[in-house]
Amino acid sequence: MTAPVFLVEPQALDGAPAAVTVTGPEGRHAVSVRRLTPGEEIVLTDGTGRGAYGVVAAVSGKDVLEVEVREHRTEPEPAVRITVVQALPKGDRGELAVETMTEAGIDAVVPWSAARCVTQWRGERGAKALAKWRSTAREAAKQARRLRFPSVAEPMTTRQVAGLLSGAAFAGVLHEEGSAALATAALPESGDIVLVVGPEGGVSPEEIAAFAAAGAAPYRLGPTVLRTSTAGVAAGSVLLARTGRWG
């Protein structure tokens, strides 16, 4: 069985310790839900690229797990970082988008309140939705056995997204009318790639113009039109393969 991954505070892995105690929600999940027992393999990570591989040494109560660490690993920051600006989809499709992009290996997700979004995050509802996206990313990263978890930013306006695009090494917008194919675009060997995925109603002409002014050209994926909840993982997979991240 594949060793499960649990998230710990960064200070827990400082100094490459020989033993780590897991408590709180992660400890409770390990002890009371997964019912791990001494001798079982386990992976701990701080979500920023550091991992501790070992075995369960002891279990106490309902939420305390003692781990004997046998190996420490560090996953370096990728030379090319991939950020997907995800327009807010309807219902739970946003969580699906975050989950699949995290599993694929996307580095950052930026929620975007596009003009044609049916869903808008406001007040308490918006805070809950953002928390759900972040929780989804965290759990998907653990499931995918990532040591470096993706970030989920605060939601951005179109102007803020344009600012993000202007500072990228490569910036693009997925658009069915794009004349260039993402699969053949010239990509950088280092720096940030930022790709915009529009809402169900599409990216408005005004948004296309604003992003073009920021240096982001429109690109197409292929002959079919994908849902906003699946376009990000499809495009991200193309970029991950072409930049050597999947090599």
Side-chain angles (χ1 to χ4, degrees):
M1 185 179 74
T2 302
V5 178
F6 292 89
L7 184 65
V8 296
E9 294 295 327
Q11 57 266 28
L13 300 184
D14 288 347
V20 176
T21 300
V22 183
T23 60
E26 291 289 274
R28 187 175 304 108
H29 184 72
V31 175
S32 300
V33 179
R34 294 296 297 263
R35 298 186 181 279
L36 297 184
T37 57
E40 291 191 74
E41 294 185 347
I42 187 172
V43 178
L44 307 178
T45 179
D46 62 359
T48 65
R50 293 188 298 174
Y53 295 70
V55 297
V56 177
V59 174
S60 59
K62 296 182 179 181
D63 61 357
V64 179
L65 194 77
E66 302 291 341
V67 177
E68 175 190 335
V69 179
R70 296 181 174 176
E71 180 185 3
H72 286 271
R73 298 181 193 173
T74 300
E75 181 181 300
E77 183 83 20
V80 179
R81 281 179 47 83
I82 300 172
T83 295
V84 172
V85 177
Q86 174 67 58
L88 306 179
K90 295 182 292 187
D92 60 359
R93 291 190 178 277
E95 291 143 41
L96 172 64
V98 171
E99 180 180 56
T100 54
M101 287 191 288
T102 297
E103 291 173 357
I106 296 301
D107 300 294
V109 179
V110 177
W112 171 40
S113 299
R116 294 177 176 174
C117 283
V118 174
T119 298
Q120 294 292 334
W121 288 359
R122 295 188 179 90
E124 185 178 349
R125 177 185 178 186
K128 288 182 178 179
L130 178 59
K132 192 65 180 288
W133 278 33
R134 287 173 170 168
S135 173
T136 298
R138 182 176 62 252
E139 295 307 312
K142 289 161 61 179
Q143 179 66 34
R145 300 174 61 76
R146 291 181 60 168
L147 297 184
R148 191 174 294 277
F149 288 14
S151 62
V152 178
E154 293 287 329
M156 288 189 180
T157 63
T158 297
R159 177 176 294 184
Q160 290 171 321
V161 171
L164 183 66
L165 293 168
S166 67
F170 174 90
V173 183
L174 287 186
H175 198 278
E176 60 189 70
E177 297 179 3
S179 59
L182 186 64
T184 59
L187 301 178
E189 295 183 356
S190 62
D192 291 320
I193 290 178
V194 182
L195 190 68
V196 177
V197 176
E200 288 90 346
V203 183
S204 72
E206 295 78 13
E207 290 165 338
I208 287 289
F211 296 156
Y219 292 92
R220 69 178 187 278
L221 267 177
T224 60
V225 177
L226 279 68
R227 289 180 179 271
T228 185
S229 54
T230 53
V233 67
S237 298
V238 171
L239 296 172
L240 286 161
R242 294 200 55 226
T243 54
R245 295 274 297 273
W246 278 5

